[in-house]
Amino acid sequence: MHARNIRHGVIGAAGAVLLALGVAGPPTQAMPREQASASAPEGDIEQGKELFMTIGCYACHGIEGQGGFGGPKLGPDPMAFPAFVRYVRAPGGTMPPYTEKLLPDEQDLADIHAYLRARSGPAPLSVLPPP
Ligand code: HEC
């Protein structure tokens, strides 16, 4: 009944975020996360990137979905696909809704989800120059 020890060396900021969110396991760099993709349909990463730019997600969430322009960080570990679709269709806060009318094809959201999953996480602290 002990908390599981995670022994995968340095757990970077991404790991800390994942742990804070209660997601088990080490972060995988630049790889689609199995957990997120399990419930998600196949998506085209390039197409997703294109959409992320053209329909404007990047303006608030950053080109890499890294957050910081009014919108929170979205990748590399976006919420599960069904929740993602629900959210984008009807966000709770100040984000504009992307309704079926605006974005009819759910495959577009699958592509965006794939793009976000494929983002690399933040660089490990070890690459930062010493203070
Ligand atoms: C005008 C700015 C803006 C645009 C454009 C925008 N968002 Fe957001 N988004 C936000 C803000 C702000 C939030 C934080 C919650 C809120 O206020 O709705 C958010 C939250 C989210 C969340 C929930 C994140 C979480 O962890 O709770 C998702 C997913 C998301 N956005 C996806 C998208 C996608 C995909 C697009 C493009 C189709 C998009 N957003 C376009 C501003 C934006």
Side-chain angles (χ1 to χ4, degrees):
M1 290 293 283
H2 292 290
R4 210 152 52 86
N5 257 335
I6 301 177
R7 329 152 169 259
H8 287 276
V10 177
I11 298 175
V17 170
L18 293 178
L19 291 174
L21 292 173
V23 180
T28 26
Q29 286 269 317
M31 287 283 288
R33 290 178 49 80
E34 280 178 36
Q35 215 162 11
S37 53
S39 57
E42 288 289 305
D44 181 326
I45 294 171
E46 279 308 308
Q47 185 66 21
K49 177 178 185 171
E50 184 79 24
L51 284 160
F52 201 76
M53 302 304 150
T54 53
I55 63 179
C57 317
Y58 85 94
C60 298
H61 292 285
I63 289 173
E64 297 287 328
Q66 78 275 26
F69 300 88
K73 182 171 178 291
L74 299 179
D77 197 29
M79 58 176 73
F81 188 67
F84 180 80
V85 173
R86 273 197 305 276
Y87 194 91
V88 173
R89 296 287 190 216
T94 55
M95 176 171 145
Y98 288 75
T99 58
E100 276 95 345
K101 213 170 186 176
L102 206 62
L103 195 63
D105 193 349
E106 196 166 301
Q107 185 59 46
D108 287 348
L109 286 173
D111 293 345
I112 292 173
H113 198 261
Y115 172 66
L116 294 172
R117 290 200 310 269
R119 295 309 81 209
S120 56
L125 291 177
S126 55
V127 306
L128 293 178

